[in-house]
Amino acid sequence: MPWSQADRVHRSQVIPPQKDVAQDGFVFSYPTCDAAGGRVVCDFTVTNVEDQPQRIQLIKLEVMGTARTYLVDLAGQQYLAPGLRFGATETSETLNSILNNFVTQDLESKVPINAEFRFDVPPPVKSPVTVVVAYNISGRRRNAVFREVQVQ
């Protein structure tokens, strides 16, 4: 029996479109985000899908440029990411420092590496959110955009 339009709308509100982002020879997995105590933590993986190792740089804030990782809540409020962990490397929580605003990794082929961005978002979090992850590969600044991410 086909679904009615009401069923489709209800289902789309309950189950967000969980789509990984595949671009530039990498796959960014759909993030899982959790809120606690005024902070939203979004975890995901980055996988090099090419046959040879590749270098990638995740960026929380490029002070001299426009690249930045951020979260936008349902009310349209934008929050920058003061915290970043990529693999075994973590940045400081300072947003205005020229240092510690990115983490660079040389990723082997087909090996997913965990990453985490932390956002200071006052409760209650208006979900779903959009998460925009800034990265650099071969001198090109790009974004991986995840829409309708539910915050738990």
Side-chain angles (χ1 to χ4, degrees), residues 34-105:
D34 296 298
R39 177 157 280 191
V40 173
V41 177
C42 295
D43 295 301
F44 60 100
T45 61
V46 180
T47 305
N48 169 13
V49 294
E50 299 294 324
D51 291 330
Q52 67 278 350
Q54 288 197 92
R55 177 170 287 182
I56 186 170
Q57 181 180 76
L58 295 186
I59 303 167
K60 68 176 186 180
L61 176 66
E62 184 181 61
V63 176
M64 305 304 266
T66 58
R68 62 200 67 212
T69 291
Y70 57 92
L71 177 148
V72 179
D73 70 13
L74 195 57
Q77 294 296 315
Q78 181 185 42
Y79 302 94
L80 298 178
L84 160 63
R85 179 187 48 78
F86 188 24
T89 306
E90 189 164 356
T91 66
S92 71
E93 295 277 326
T94 306
L95 272 175
N96 59 0
S97 170
I98 292 176
L99 303 174
N100 294 316
N101 284 320
F102 56 85
V103 175
T104 303
Q105 294 278 358

Side-chain angles (χ1 to χ4, degrees), residues 2 6 22 35 49 53 56 60 66 69 76 81 97 106-107 111 121 130-131 140 143:
V49 294
I56 186 170
K60 68 176 186 180
T66 58
T69 291
S97 170
D106 291 317
L107 300 187
V111 178
V121 180
T130 297
V131 178
R140 293 186 325 264
N143 290 330

Side-chain angles (χ1 to χ4, degrees), residues 97-149:
S97 170
I98 292 176
L99 303 174
N100 294 316
N101 284 320
F102 56 85
V103 175
T104 303
Q105 294 278 358
D106 291 317
L107 300 187
E108 293 296 327
S109 177
K110 316 292 190 292
V111 178
I113 300 293
N114 292 329
E116 168 188 284
F117 279 102
R118 296 178 295 280
F119 305 92
D120 293 329
V121 180
V125 178
K126 294 169 184 74
S127 184
V129 301
T130 297
V131 178
V132 178
V133 175
Y135 67 96
N136 180 358
I137 176 166
S138 302
R140 293 186 325 264
R141 307 281 192 289
R142 299 287 309 266
N143 290 330
V145 180
F146 299 94
R147 300 180 194 286
E148 297 187 30
V149 178

